Amino acid sequence: MEKKGNIYGINGPVIYLKGNTGFKMSEMVYVGKEKLVGEVISLTTDMTTIQVFEETSGLKPGEEVIGTGATLSVTLAPGIITNIFDGIERPLGVLAQNSGAYIDRGISVSALDTEKLWDAHMTVQKGDYVSGGTIIAEVRETTAIVHKVMVPPDVEGTVIQVKEDGKYTIDDGIVTVKSQNGEERELTMTQHWPIRVPRPTAKRYPASKPLVTGQRILDTLFPVAKGGTAAIPGGFGTGKTMTQHQVAKWSDADIIVYIGCGERGNEMTQVLEDFSKLVDPKSGNPLMDRTVLIANTSNMPVAAREASIYTGITLAEYYRDMGYHVAIMADSTSRWAEALRELSGRLEEMPAEEGFPAYLASKLSAFYERAGMMENLNGTEGSVTIIGAVSPQGGDFSEPVTQNTKRFVRCFWGLDKSLAYARHFPAIHWLTSYSEYLPDLSAWYANEVGSDFIDYRNQLVAILNQESSLMEIVKLIGSDVLPDDQKLTLEIARVIRLGFLQQNAFHKEDTCVPLEKQMKMMETILYLNMKARSLISMGMPMSILKEDSIFDKIISIKYDVENHALYKFDDYKKAIDQFYDNVIAKNA
Amino acid sequence: MAIEYLGLSKVNGPFVVLEGVRGAAFDEIVEITVEGKEKKLGRIVEIYDDRAVVQVFEPTENISLQNTHTRLTGHPMEIGLSTDILGRTLNGIGQPIDGLGEIPAETRRDVNGKPLNPVTREYPRNYIRTGISAIDGLTTLIRGQKLPIFSGNGLPHDQLAAQIVRQASLGEGSDEKFAIVFAAMGVKYDVAEYFRHTFEESGVSDHVVMFLNLANDPVVERLITPKVALTVAEYLAFEKSMHILVILTDMTSFAEAMREVSSSKGEIPSRKGYPGYLYSEFATIYERAGIVEGVNGSVTQIPILTMPNDDITHPIPDLTGYITEGQIVLDRTMHGQSIYPPINVLPSLSRLMKDGIGEGYTRKDHQDVANQLFSSYAKVGEARALASVIGEDELSPLDKKYLAFGNAFEGEFVGQGANENRTINDTLEIGWSLLRLLPREELDRINTKILDEYYEAPSL
């Protein structure tokens, strides 16, 4: 029998019920006449507290609250990819058809299309023994993704009936399983999973492969592993969203889950538009065919914003279970933390630092720990990579969300205001950022890209570090008084900054760069460094070296050498040799 | 039939508590009659069984626990709407104060609005020419954008907003319908008067809806003002297909009002005493800018806020910047040098600019010129810092060129007359004339082809 209660008090998104309602913690409930979706967040013998995921204005005390008996869950079945959902998996496209341009309340729609017929190919036979995770059917969900229908984690038994290959809706039974105690259960393509519980896996692997993003500063300097975690903190206007978009567009993940958590509506519209038009360079399919969007913009209800992060990661885990590499863009985790703070304030909990609740850190760590490279229950290998944007208040990285995030992520891409002001993009600062994955991934880079890759990378970082300490002096006395070898360091660092670190997201060739080209670019810059340095050691002044346009020529390699025309790098090497000979010939 | 409740059980600042109510809804508007004559409006902000906490929009003076009748209206805060609202002046909660009587309503709308579904939004691409180089050239305003002006006390943000209104609204002979919704929250009488005068002078008065909540008007009323104003803007834009420019001034007063009300409600404060929901509350205002797919209208917002102590990291500008699509930052030092408009371009930004400029919109070299100006001007700062240590004479020839470029940039590009209306061509040409002060190899942000075309040949 379904459990019921009546509203006693209302305070914004939080409502109170008097008495012991018999609801369970985290149970999903329907609130009031309009059946607004809510979740139980605290229980005492005489008071039940519920957070409501929709606007509560107009609710009255005395209205009924009905329990569903289940925790807040998402529906998992074909039809997720290419879709756009709100924070509690309501499809925004369907909402728009039902209620127009504005999102109305209490609209009950199913998360996924239950009428669409999917072409299913069964992969089990009668008599097979199946358990949680076993793939029972395959459905081509989009041009890019084959959806693997799996046995829910809590089911185990022998297949006693399998339907023919053919067209089925997500609610049609396709396989019947008989468990050891004789219970028969008909499986459909659909499963439900509570969003706050991680889906089970068999084993966790250590990080060994990078998520290749085509962004030079990320791939070369601060790589993130597949199954890893990265944070992008930065004040407003420093390019968090832009970086997330670039990674979502060009990374080599199979599936992208893009969570717009408390961010701008126009940005989500832009993602929708861009991703439908852009083509995945590897497969030639539209990018949208491997993307799912969760949009809970800043003006949508705050409790659903809190849930959106969990909805996103649960969808990601589901696809990981099929053996895909999934990357989650969470933009922005600060808005999620603020939603926690707002709700915590409404509940009159004791605030900790900056008004955030004391459980902020444990919630953050629980979220980031859901990332990982896993062996799934069905033996496949899949990963969930989390890339979380952090919007620190006032751009100050010492605030609680950034600090706590730093404790749980292993890759930190710190965005810098002064770089952004100078329109140096991506504005990721090479001195404040770090990646702990570098040692784990070195072997992969050596095998797959080139044995010198990591060595080149370290040389680049060393030059940039030298530049930064030299700049301290330059700020005080100007660059004219430096000795020539230090002037050269500054010049090479300039070449690295402009020619390598800066990357133009709007340039056809430069927006995504393969690792081979990144390697060649480093090689060329370092070759120039070596040659120029030997000239300096022969006593040639920097002013003579600067007469040649070779430095600027190297800087524009990123535009002048197309991604498929890497043979052109030989010409640059020749040009550097020629520059060397010229300088010697003229000044001997 | 409406039940009236006699008396109150508590009065505390702007809050009154009503007991024994039946059928009251959260967020409902109540009408409180004091001593049988004076009517005040209030909103139910918390409700526990038969006990409702009401936030009163007007001062609670004269209210006693006995002398009131309270009536539930049965609906949330609403405003009656029709196109007759154009040209009218209203108070902070949308009641006419120009003595021209009630506004005939064709429809009524909940002022809280509803979130716009991201699926039905149209991505803004149409730029608005303001005739101000620093804005058109470097932080282009796009129709449907929310672009705040971050200012400080004593800086000419009002003049700048007025100039935008004058020059943008009268765009190049376009026959599309436009209107201005002006919402003043806690501003001085002089400021409101200045805007009224500007609207009259530029002949747009009959296309303006003014909401005035002046500095001495009730604080609580201020919390509703931007919502009422935006409800009118949405109605005119999305139902009457007009292009609406909304000016909200001063968002700082709005946030201060929230803090005041929140603390008298006894809520747990977060940053600097502001309530935890400041971000969400800002978002429900700013996110109401935009364009709806298939509708020929738009809501563009220019909120103005004064940064307390010129601090851009203060929660008000900080949270605003995280929601709005860029910002225009005014600078006190530049103002001190009599540069008008004193826009500090480095922290200023328009996020939507990249998709609304270039070939087909403005000119193909626009993005490159803008990037280069930003990048070169950032270097001016370094050169100036060095000059202040070692003296200008000791600078390298290149650094000296940067100093010259910086001064010319501030004087000629950013600086312009309060009535000067520049075309996009003028703006870009000035940009090029400045870039020519620098050696060509310093211009590393401009595509070689564009450099070939524009750098050498002054096309004057």
Side-chain angles (χ1 to χ4, degrees), chain B residues 414-459:
Chain B
V414 176
Q416 69 182 81
N419 288 309
E420 191 181 346
N421 192 350
R422 292 183 187 159
T423 65
I424 197 81
N425 259 327
D426 291 346
T427 295
L428 292 176
E429 284 311 322
I430 296 171
W432 277 109
S433 73
L434 296 173
L435 291 176
R436 284 187 205 108
L437 296 174
L438 298 171
R440 185 177 160 144
E441 58 273 15
E442 282 297 305
L443 307 182
D444 47 30
R445 300 303 173 86
I446 302 183
N447 189 305
T448 327
K449 274 188 209 135
I450 287 181
L451 261 185
D452 289 342
E453 193 177 334
Y454 292 93
Y455 182 76
E456 303 299 343
S459 50

Side-chain angles (χ1 to χ4, degrees), chain B residues 259-275:
Chain B
R259 176 163 69 177
E260 187 176 331
V261 169
S262 162
S263 90
S264 60
K265 222 167 135 188
E267 288 173 338
I268 292 172
S270 63
R271 275 166 84 192
K272 294 210 171 175
Y274 293 97

Side-chain angles (χ1 to χ4, degrees), chain B residues 89-133:
Chain B
T89 304
L90 308 100
N91 71 3
I93 49 174
Q95 295 160 335
I97 50 169
D98 50 7
L100 299 174
E102 282 294 309
I103 296 159
E106 149 189 311
T107 171
R108 299 187 71 80
R109 285 276 181 287
D110 179 353
V111 301
N112 292 308
K114 277 185 271 184
L116 200 51
N117 192 327
V119 173
T120 56
R121 274 183 190 268
E122 189 177 310
Y123 191 70
R125 289 183 199 280
N126 236 328
Y127 94 108
I128 300 177
R129 187 169 67 91
T130 63
I132 298 164
S133 290

Side-chain angles (χ1 to χ4, degrees), chain B residues 101-414:
Chain B
E102 282 294 309
I103 296 159
E106 149 189 311
T107 171
R108 299 187 71 80
R109 285 276 181 287
D110 179 353
V111 301
N112 292 308
K114 277 185 271 184
L116 200 51
N117 192 327
V119 173
T120 56
R121 274 183 190 268
E122 189 177 310
Y123 191 70
R125 289 183 199 280
N126 236 328
Y127 94 108
I128 300 177
R129 187 169 67 91
T130 63
I132 298 164
S133 290
I135 297 178
D136 289 354
L138 301 177
T139 51
T140 317
L141 178 65
I142 308 285
R143 225 172 241 177
Q145 186 175 20
K146 38 196 179 290
L147 189 64
I149 299 175
F150 286 9
S151 182
N153 295 313
L155 293 179
H157 43 264
D158 295 327
Q159 285 86 320
L160 180 61
Q163 189 177 1
I164 294 174
V165 167
R166 274 198 311 271
Q167 298 180 176
S169 57
L170 304 169
E172 298 125 47
S174 109
D175 57 351
E176 286 179 301
K177 290 188 285 181
F178 79 94
I180 295 157
V181 173
F182 175 83
M185 290 155 280
V187 302
K188 295 178 282 278
Y189 173 80
D190 300 355
V191 172
E193 202 47 42
Y194 172 79
F195 275 101
R196 189 205 304 272
H197 187 68
T198 305
F199 296 147
E200 269 168 21
E201 216 171 44
S202 48
V204 295
S205 295
D206 53 344
H207 284 280
V208 180
V209 189
M210 288 186 89
F211 292 90
L212 298 182
N213 168 278
L214 301 183
N216 55 350
D217 285 336
V219 170
V220 183
E221 196 180 288
R222 230 163 264 174
L223 295 176
I224 290 291
T225 311
K227 299 185 178 181
V228 180
L230 285 162
T231 307
V232 173
E234 282 174 349
Y235 167 78
L236 294 173
F238 303 140
E239 287 178 44
K240 298 294 164 193
S241 299
M242 300 175 88
H243 294 287
I244 309 293
L245 183 66
V246 183
I247 295 181
L248 304 168
T249 180
D250 167 348
M251 290 306 288
T252 307
S253 305
F254 171 80
E256 296 293 343
M258 273 182 71
R259 176 163 69 177
E260 187 176 331
V261 169
S262 162
S263 90
S264 60
K265 222 167 135 188
E267 288 173 338
I268 292 172
S270 63
R271 275 166 84 192
K272 294 210 171 175
Y274 293 97
Y277 48 81
L278 182 64
Y279 179 82
S280 300
E281 199 64 25
F282 270 162
T284 53
I285 293 171
Y286 296 139
E287 276 290 326
R288 289 173 84 171
I291 306 177
V292 175
E293 216 173 46
V295 179
N296 185 26
S298 63
V299 176
T300 311
Q301 277 187 25
I302 302 187
I304 298 172
L305 57 88
T306 47
M307 298 182 278
N309 200 22
D310 293 353
D311 176 12
I312 199 169
T313 65
H314 185 279
I316 297 172
D318 191 41
L319 294 180
T320 299
Y322 277 123
I323 306 166
T324 54
E325 283 138 348
Q327 62 275 340
I328 294 169
V329 182
L330 302 191
D331 185 78
R332 199 168 293 279
T333 324
M334 289 174 78
H335 183 57
Q337 293 162 352
S338 304
I339 297 165
Y340 173 86
I343 297 176
N344 184 359
V345 299
L346 292 183
S348 300
L349 167 78
S350 165
R351 288 166 190 271
L352 301 184
M353 168 178 178
K354 58 185 190 301
D355 295 307
I357 62 168
E359 211 152 15
Y361 298 101
T362 55
R363 222 169 80 172
K364 67 177 174 191
D365 56 329
H366 191 159
Q367 185 74 57
D368 283 20
V369 171
N371 287 346
Q372 188 60 57
L373 286 171
F374 275 124
S375 164
S376 300
Y377 186 61
K379 285 194 192 147
V380 171
E382 290 166 25
R384 281 183 182 160
L386 192 57
S388 69
V389 177
I390 60 172
E392 221 168 284
D393 290 348
E394 299 294 315
L395 289 180
S396 68
L398 181 61
D399 282 340
K400 282 184 185 154
K401 280 185 182 161
Y402 269 111
L403 280 192
F405 165 80
N407 293 334
F409 177 79
E410 286 166 5
E412 293 163 30
F413 189 88
V414 176

